[in-house]
Amino acid sequence: MYSLEGKRVYVAGHRGMVGSAIVRRLADKQCVVLTSTREDADLRDQAATRRWLESQRPDVVVVAAAKVGGILANATYPADFLYDNLMIEANLIEASHRVGVGKLLFLGSSCIYPKFAPQPIVESALLTGSLEPTNEWYAIAKIAGIKLAEAYRAQHGCDFISAMPTNLYGPGDNFDLNSSHVLPALMRKAHEAKQAGASEIVIWGTGTPRREFLHADDCADACVHLIEQYSDAEHVNVGSGEDVTIYELAQLVCEIVGFQGEIVRDETKPDGTPRKLMSADKIRGLGWKPRIELREGIAATYRWFLEHKADAGR
Ligand code: GFB
């Protein structure tokens, strides 16, 4: 058991959906939460990152900072997804070792696993096959992050651990149709179609790929649980243990938003990996399970969208 009480906890990436959820989750932990802006330290800059950590002296570092995006953004900006993520994680992990950080949590993604990994995907499936081409750049950066954390543990005895969240959604998500993940994209499309009285929304691909979704608040809860309860080299999957097809997801989002038109498929757009349901056995064995059911989580996220984003871009 690692106690967070009285600790200085640096959440890198606190403006993102997961980072902000982790900051919320830490509110009752009697720790000091540290955050940084791009002006404090550009985390792609090694010297700036080191200076920031030396000045703040955190006990705990959460690597939730990353360049993220959906299937199209990954394919459009491969250099940014590989370079930015490699730099951010390498700079944070190395500087954390230098300043003697007692616990570090690195956050990856379920796309680290082979495209055709047996389902549900167990942690040991890492590096057993080829990656899905639409997100191999991001995946390779995240695999390097896992291995860095593992290497610093092996060589320097650092208590650095890694969590692999599944596809996440929730308040603070990106709702831009060109760069977002599927769930916020469908929410925006359904909302705008309803507002405009349109007869259909268009979804990308065949609608047959299966995805597992987890609310960002559940992910944040799992992250804090792992910081407190887990200390080992192998990464830990963080998921709900259930998946749906993209078409089923679109139906659910339309129902919650109140859009009754047709769902049309644009098969010129990529499907990506056919399925990536992760095994949740390991994290359940560590005493954690999600609380937010998909329908309830989407409804809460839609309320957030209505309050914060519904008018964006008009
Ligand atoms: O969420 P998403 O962009 O990323 O797409 P991945 C999931 C599935 O939803 C794909 C389909 O089959 C998309 O073709 N889809 C349908 C849509 N309509 C839409 C739409 O309007 N927008 C989007 N974005 N998708 C990402 C990786 O993969 O998952 C990242 O690219 C990361 O690297 C992330 O790992 C968790 O699930 O395919």
Side-chain angles (χ1 to χ4, degrees):
M1 172 83 190
Y2 181 90
S3 172
L4 284 164
E5 200 177 320
K7 298 282 166 49
R8 293 169 65 76
V9 183
Y10 172 40
V11 181
H14 74 289
R15 285 181 170 164
M17 178 174 68
V18 183
S20 58
I22 293 172
V23 170
R24 288 196 297 277
R25 180 63 191 85
L26 289 170
D28 66 358
K29 285 289 174 186
Q30 273 116 42
C31 58
V32 178
V33 176
L34 308 168
T35 58
S36 65
T37 62
R38 181 82 50 100
E39 291 68 43
D40 295 322
D42 182 336
L43 300 176
R44 294 167 302 181
D45 179 333
Q46 187 183 45
T49 306
R50 191 181 295 171
R51 271 198 304 277
W52 170 254
L53 266 91
E54 280 169 351
S55 72
Q56 299 300 311
R57 295 271 155 190
D59 303 297
V60 180
V61 170
V62 181
V63 185
K67 166 111 183 142
V68 299
I71 194 164
L72 185 63
N74 271 261
T76 314
Y77 305 107
D80 292 356
F81 275 81
L82 184 52
Y83 178 83
D84 287 7
N85 288 312
L86 283 173
M87 295 306 284
I88 291 168
E89 69 206 20
N91 292 339
L92 282 169
I93 289 172
E94 162 64 12
S96 294
H97 162 55
R98 279 181 179 262
V99 304
V101 163
K103 187 104 194 189
L104 177 142
L105 173 68
F106 172 70
L107 282 164
S109 161
S110 59
C111 69
I112 58 161
Y113 290 114
K115 175 167 184 164
F116 297 114
Q119 314 276 321
I121 312 171
V122 289
E123 283 81 356
S124 58
L126 181 65
L127 294 173
T128 56
S130 304
L131 298 166
E132 154 60 32
T134 54
N135 56 33
E136 66 176 328
W137 320 100
Y138 183 72
I140 283 171
K142 289 296 180 183
I143 293 168
I146 299 171
K147 290 295 169 190
L148 261 183
E150 207 179 308
Y152 277 73
R153 171 179 288 273
Q155 187 177 332
H156 301 296
C158 300
D159 190 359
F160 292 179
I161 60 171
S162 297
M164 293 308 113
T166 188
N167 286 38
L168 303 173
Y169 70 96
D173 209 343
N174 168 19
F175 289 84
D176 174 79
L177 293 182
N178 289 317
S179 57
S180 73
H181 289 100
V182 60
L183 202 152
L186 296 182
M187 190 173 285
R188 169 162 229 130
K189 286 177 185 178
H191 173 78
E192 291 183 352
K194 181 177 115 178
Q195 298 288 92
S199 60
E200 60 178 46
I201 62 161
V202 177
I203 63 168
W204 296 353
T206 59
T208 58
R210 302 186 70 88
R211 293 290 184 274
E212 176 187 5
F213 294 94
L214 186 74
H215 193 282
D217 286 343
D218 268 337
C219 179
D221 192 53
C223 288
V224 171
H225 185 84
L226 289 174
I227 291 169
E228 291 179 329
Q229 307 284 343
Y230 187 72
S231 175
D232 216 336
E234 193 184 52
H235 58 282
V236 183
N237 290 344
V238 178
S240 61
E242 289 168 14
D243 63 358
V244 292
T245 68
I246 295 302
Y247 192 81
E248 286 163 351
L249 178 74
Q251 288 177 312
L252 183 57
V253 170
C254 287
E255 199 185 310
I256 290 164
V257 168
F259 171 68
Q260 286 165 352
E262 208 187 332
I263 299 166
V264 176
R265 300 167 179 87
D266 175 1
E267 297 195 15
T268 65
K269 294 284 197 307
D271 270 344
T273 199
R275 192 178 187 200
K276 49 177 174 176
L277 175 65
M278 296 196 302
S279 164
D281 288 353
K282 183 167 178 169
I283 195 157
R284 284 187 179 245
L286 292 165
W288 182 88
K289 61 175 176 8
R291 296 198 186 101
I292 307 170
E293 193 256 327
L294 185 59
R295 176 183 291 272
E296 174 202 335
I298 295 175
T301 305
Y302 186 50
R303 288 194 292 276
W304 185 90
F305 173 82
L306 289 175
E307 280 167 30
H308 297 88
K309 292 277 171 186
D311 292 329
R314 292 228 186 115

